[in-house]
Amino acid sequence: SRDATRGGVNGPALPVHPPEGGHGKAPLSIDLGGEICPFTFVRTKLALEALPIGAVLRVIVDHEPATRNIPRSAAAWGQEVLGVTSLGGRAGASATWAIDLRKRVR
């Protein structure tokens, strides 16, 4: 069974290397562990649409192709890609990555 907090919008994350410009706050984070493309970008796009211009969103993924597909799609949509960071592996799970995005367009 899926953890109730996975795949949803969570409170501020405690990033390993927080992106700048969050007004001193950690970015909003969504955990898309267990999701695959294209659903990773669809969920990312919906989360970004709900945020104000300038907000930072941290997307946590464990599907390696998403580390390329989400930044490419977000940039094509006009959003700013702040970076992709390897977070290593979760206990007993595959590698995970954080993709940091800043909303630039509606």
Side-chain angles (χ1 to χ4, degrees), residues 33-34 60-64 67 85-90 92-98:
I60 307 297
V61 297
D62 60 4
H63 181 62
E64 190 274 334
T67 65
T85 306
S86 174
L87 300 178
R90 296 179 181 168
S94 60
T96 57
W97 295 268

Side-chain angles (χ1 to χ4, degrees), residues 64-90:
E64 190 274 334
T67 65
R68 296 182 305 278
N69 296 336
I70 290 174
R72 180 179 57 239
S73 297
W77 179 37
Q79 308 305 346
E80 180 182 358
V81 179
L82 300 175
V84 179
T85 306
S86 174
L87 300 178
R90 296 179 181 168

Side-chain angles (χ1 to χ4, degrees), residues 3 27 44 48 51-52 78 80-81 86-87 89 93 102:
D3 181 282
T44 299
L48 276 170
L51 297 176
E80 180 182 358
V81 179
S86 174
L87 300 178
R102 184 183 317 276

